[in-house]
Amino acid sequence: SFTISLHKADNTTVMIKLKPGLPASCRIRMKYVIMSELKIKPGDNVTFTFTCNTPEKYFITEIQKNIDCVSGPCPFGDVHLYPPGLPRLNRTYIWDVKASTKAGLELKFSTSWLRQIEPGETCPDFVSYNINSSIDNATVNIGTFCRNGSVSRVKLLGGVVMSLHLPWHLPLTTSGFNIASRASIKRLCIIESILKRESSITLMSPNYPLGFPEDELMTWQFVIPPSLRASVFFHNYSLSNCERKEERVEYYIPGSPSNPEVFKLSDSQPANIAGTFNMSLQGCDQDAQNPGILRLLFQVVVQHPQVDENVTHLVDLSKEKNVTLTIHLEGWPSRTPLVSEPMCLICKDPRTCDRALTLTSGAVYRISFLCKDLSQLRITAEKGIGCMDIRWCQKKIYSLSVPKAITRLPIRLHKFNWKLLATDMINVEIMSPSLKLQQHIPEQRCNTSYSYSIVSATPETELNVGVFCPGGSIEKIQMRNNITISLKTFGKGFINESIPQDLKMSFVPHIKDECIFTVSPDPKAKVYLQTPNSPYGLPPYVSISWFIAVPSKQTARLRFSKDRMGIACETGRAYINIKEEALGAEEIVCREDELLPQPRNMLHSFWVNVSNCKPVDKTQLTLQFWVTLADKQIDLGIILAVVAGAGVLTVIGLTVCCVKKKKKKTQNPMVGVYNDNVNTQMPGKKAFFGKERQNNESHVYAVIDDAVVYGHLLKESNGSVSPEVDVYRPFDGPIGSLPPSPPPFSFRKDIKRSSNPEEEPLPLMDTDQDTYTFAHQKSGQSEDNGDANKKDKGDTGVPLLENKERDSL
């Protein structure tokens, strides 16, 4: 049983009651009476027991002591836990002190100072203090606190209601504070916090998260050794709607020439404060109809100054355009450092410091660091480059290198983003003339201290072009749409490696592909190339091209990493086009349902184009191929063929010279008319012609290509192609200025496919600068000198075609 005896003069009441929400499985028995709660008043002497063995699970105890300091003297001094002999239940001691507003009360805590916590937060040892100010029957919640903090004293205007919550298993015998009388403080309260060493504390305005009382004033006093530095950070605040005055924060800093220093809650608060200072929060007269809420949660960080705290670093961004630079902690903004972690601050001036500092172009800054370990800091920067009219920016080359103002700082660069913006008909070309770029893929990993991530974005889709690093074979990349290039560093060696940065960009006219790579393979290495957007694959209907430059004295070996594309198309077709940059070179085309080309030797520079369809399932098109270079091998057979070819050229050259001589005597324009009765051997025997040479010009020609010789046969064939055969038009432009176009769906089945990488024979070219005109007799047109046709008309359709060519028609 338990016996509780209360003295009448103590003015103390004890209430034992059930915990809210629990069933009455356990009761209180006092003599022959069983009850669910027991109230013991001043002067009572009560003995009772519980009907269960574990009453702490069901009951709580509230002990309230009323102290009147208005009509009589106050019992100042240490506050004891009274009465003794209470059952082991969760206990709440409440001291309700009535006092005049003309005087102040002070709650002074023992060496185990207090730490303020947010509403709903629980103290680790379940011991908590709650302080309320009582003025004219109005109660203001000053805050809830745990033990082991920095709050040493709380001074209040008027009365106070102090609560101490103790768990049932903790045999605490002292309250941990005393009450003293003070002169009027002329404000709601003053909270004193003593910070003797490096630490971080969090404090809140009264009634938080509800509103601070209207037109009230309160103060926090921070007692700090002069050898330490304090910085204030506002993490959460809101403002009320003021009719008069203005809500503000005032600082009194010893030694400051402008005390008090006034700040708005939206301003960056003072930092790097040496020693003790005061901070006050002032409310305003609020709008009666829509008062709003003034509240504040802030942090004070105390730390040792940096060894070279007076050292400033110059950041000259005066000549930069559209540049934003942010210095921040590693992991910012997603990672918030723990309160126990040392603070690392960046200062724009001696008193303006923060965990993150943003600088913009067009100005010069002098910054310093309040941080022991600068390796915790990182730099993230961004630069915008735009082009709205190609006439003004087509010929301009922009350097994509990190400004020296950044590389000179003792902070590691984390990322530098270039935002390249242009209209729909203007595209971007990036170049790396000397270093060149290497695509980062599993078979070809980058081992440099930095890399470039390139993303092409439109409102409809985003194409991750890939990750690249210097020291490869890609000379330039042309891309459509708006581009973001991100330089990301991976080590401390970036500053040394960044000296020869040569990445550049320019704006170019519209290109038809999403992306075009220009590659000059390293003769000593295998170059891997892969479609963008890995590992997710190319988006539907996207076309990508590579131009592989092959030196004249070398040959390239092209090989795909797998046998098939590995997709099935729902709409359209997926194609791979391969074509060499050589006159008459055949184009190899493969569909998604066909085997990819076997390894091939490419004797000239060539194009590889990959165009995607809309796949049936979510699997997108991903292809990888590699290229190696080797010296061209000339064997004995080739040498003999060259010698024989040289002899034939000599004979033809003599014949053409004779023809040219004949040509100079003729005043009329000379045309080469194809005669299907004439032997296809070199002209020279008069018996093959029905007319004299002065009346027949069928022998006047220089070069006749296949389309001229066999044009009428192509017209008579059943193929879908009807080439122009009437007039030979010599090639007069550079080869390969554009990648091979993917054939239209109705035509691709007729394109010649080949798996043998054979070099096309060189055409016979005349070295004379005289021009020649060639024509072909149109069907249905009769020759006025066609005696030979009437005499010997034969079928020349089949014998003149090779089987291989006929099969492809």
Side-chain angles (χ1 to χ4, degrees), residues 478-490:
Q478 291 178 315
M479 293 165 286
R480 291 168 56 184
N481 311 317
N482 295 326
I483 308 300
T484 299
I485 302 175
S486 299
L487 182 151
K488 188 174 182 180
T489 64
F490 302 101

Side-chain angles (χ1 to χ4, degrees), residues 688-701:
F688 283 97
F689 297 88
K691 292 189 178 183
E692 295 294 326
R693 294 176 77 78
Q694 61 269 23
N695 297 324
N696 189 311
E697 293 184 349
S698 61
H699 60 286
V700 180
Y701 65 94

Side-chain angles (χ1 to χ4, degrees), residues 319-323 383-402 416 418-422 426-433 452 485 501-508:
K319 296 181 181 179
E320 299 292 336
K321 293 182 179 180
N322 301 322
V323 172
K383 180 179 177 67
I385 303 175
C387 179
M388 298 297 109
D389 191 337
I390 194 66
R391 295 175 298 176
W392 298 105
C393 44
Q394 181 175 5
K395 296 182 180 180
K396 188 173 182 180
I397 297 178
Y398 301 85
S399 174
L400 302 184
S401 58
V402 180
F416 196 108
W418 288 273
K419 302 281 188 179
L420 313 179
L421 307 176
I426 302 175
N427 298 144
V428 171
E429 177 178 285
I430 64 171
M431 304 150 282
S432 182
Y452 299 100
I485 302 175
Q501 280 186 86
D502 73 334
L503 195 67
K504 297 176 173 58
M505 65 81 54
S506 62
F507 293 101
V508 296

Side-chain angles (χ1 to χ4, degrees), residues 560 562-578 587-598 609-613 621-623 741-754:
F560 290 89
K562 55 184 180 180
D563 297 331
R564 293 183 179 272
M565 297 189 199
I567 62 169
C569 293
E570 177 182 329
T571 306
R573 290 285 196 178
Y575 286 91
I576 294 179
N577 298 56
I578 304 172
E587 183 173 356
I588 300 133
V589 181
C590 292
R591 289 192 317 234
E592 81 283 352
D593 57 351
E594 298 174 333
L595 290 173
L596 295 180
Q598 294 298 313
N609 172 268
V610 176
S611 54
N612 197 14
C613 62
L621 176 58
T622 300
L623 281 179
S741 300
F745 297 142
S746 62
F747 176 62
R748 292 182 177 177
K749 63 182 180 180
D750 299 311
I751 292 183
K752 181 177 181 180
R753 301 180 179 86
S754 172

Side-chain angles (χ1 to χ4, degrees), residues 543-581:
S543 178
I544 307 292
S545 292
W546 293 264
F547 174 70
I548 316 296
V550 180
S552 58
K553 295 183 180 180
Q554 291 183 309
T555 180
R557 182 75 170 174
L558 170 65
R559 181 169 187 170
F560 290 89
S561 61
K562 55 184 180 180
D563 297 331
R564 293 183 179 272
M565 297 189 199
I567 62 169
C569 293
E570 177 182 329
T571 306
R573 290 285 196 178
Y575 286 91
I576 294 179
N577 298 56
I578 304 172
K579 188 173 183 180
E580 284 189 281
E581 261 201 340

Side-chain angles (χ1 to χ4, degrees), residues 85 99 121 125 146 199 245 293 327 389 429 473 501 523 681 696:
E121 191 176 348
D125 59 359
C146 300
S199 57
K245 300 182 183 179
I293 292 177
I327 305 174
D389 191 337
E429 177 178 285
S473 300
Q501 280 186 86
Q681 294 180 356
N696 189 311

Side-chain angles (χ1 to χ4, degrees), residues 105-336:
L105 290 177
E106 177 183 281
L107 305 178
K108 185 176 181 180
F109 300 93
S110 60
T111 53
S112 179
W113 296 327
L114 305 186
R115 172 177 62 88
Q116 190 172 6
I117 60 174
E118 295 186 46
E121 191 176 348
T122 303
C123 296
D125 59 359
F126 301 103
V127 177
S128 64
Y129 294 85
N130 184 262
I131 305 173
N132 289 271
S133 173
S134 178
I135 304 175
D136 299 332
N137 298 323
T139 301
V140 178
N141 181 18
I142 303 301
T144 302
F145 301 82
C146 300
R147 296 193 295 179
N148 300 318
S150 63
V151 175
S152 58
R153 288 189 295 178
V154 177
K155 302 174 185 179
L156 301 111
L157 181 66
V160 61
V161 178
M162 178 72 174
S163 301
L164 171 61
H165 303 275
L166 298 176
W168 68 271
H169 56 81
L170 189 64
L172 196 64
T173 57
T174 59
S175 65
F177 71 96
N178 62 48
I179 299 178
S181 176
R182 289 291 179 265
S184 176
I185 58 176
K186 298 181 180 180
R187 61 199 67 205
L188 176 64
C189 66
I190 299 174
I191 298 177
E192 179 186 81
S193 184
I194 299 177
L195 301 159
K196 293 183 177 181
R197 56 184 181 274
E198 284 191 324
S199 57
S200 173
I201 62 171
T202 300
L203 296 166
M204 285 144 274
S205 60
N207 279 344
Y208 186 90
L210 302 179
F212 186 68
E214 181 179 6
D215 196 24
E216 276 289 358
L217 171 68
M218 75 158 294
T219 298
W220 289 272
Q221 294 179 335
F222 300 100
V223 181
I224 303 171
S227 60
L228 296 178
R229 300 293 181 267
S231 302
V232 180
F233 303 96
F234 287 4
H235 293 305
N236 187 15
Y237 69 89
S238 63
L239 303 176
S240 57
N241 298 315
C242 298
E243 281 190 345
R244 291 184 303 164
K245 300 182 183 179
E246 184 179 11
E247 295 166 338
R248 63 191 184 274
V249 180
E250 297 179 356
Y251 292 88
Y252 181 84
I253 302 173
S256 173
S258 56
N259 280 323
E261 298 184 16
V262 180
F263 291 79
K264 296 180 179 179
L265 275 75
S266 57
D267 294 337
S268 292
Q269 303 303 308
N272 202 18
I273 303 171
T276 300
F277 70 98
N278 293 349
M279 169 185 152
S280 298
L281 176 64
Q282 174 67 65
C284 67
D285 290 333
Q286 299 173 351
D287 184 351
Q289 301 298 326
N290 184 20
I293 292 177
L294 170 61
R295 60 185 171 192
L296 172 64
L297 182 147
F298 66 99
Q299 181 185 18
V300 177
V301 177
V302 177
Q303 59 194 130
H304 288 288
Q306 188 183 6
V307 177
D308 55 348
E309 63 173 324
N310 296 322
V311 175
T312 59
H313 302 270
L314 184 68
V315 184
D316 187 358
L317 301 177
S318 58
K319 296 181 181 179
E320 299 292 336
K321 293 182 179 180
N322 301 322
V323 172
T324 302
L325 164 67
T326 301
I327 305 174
H328 55 86
L329 283 171
E330 185 178 11
W332 173 90
S334 58
R335 177 183 174 272
T336 302

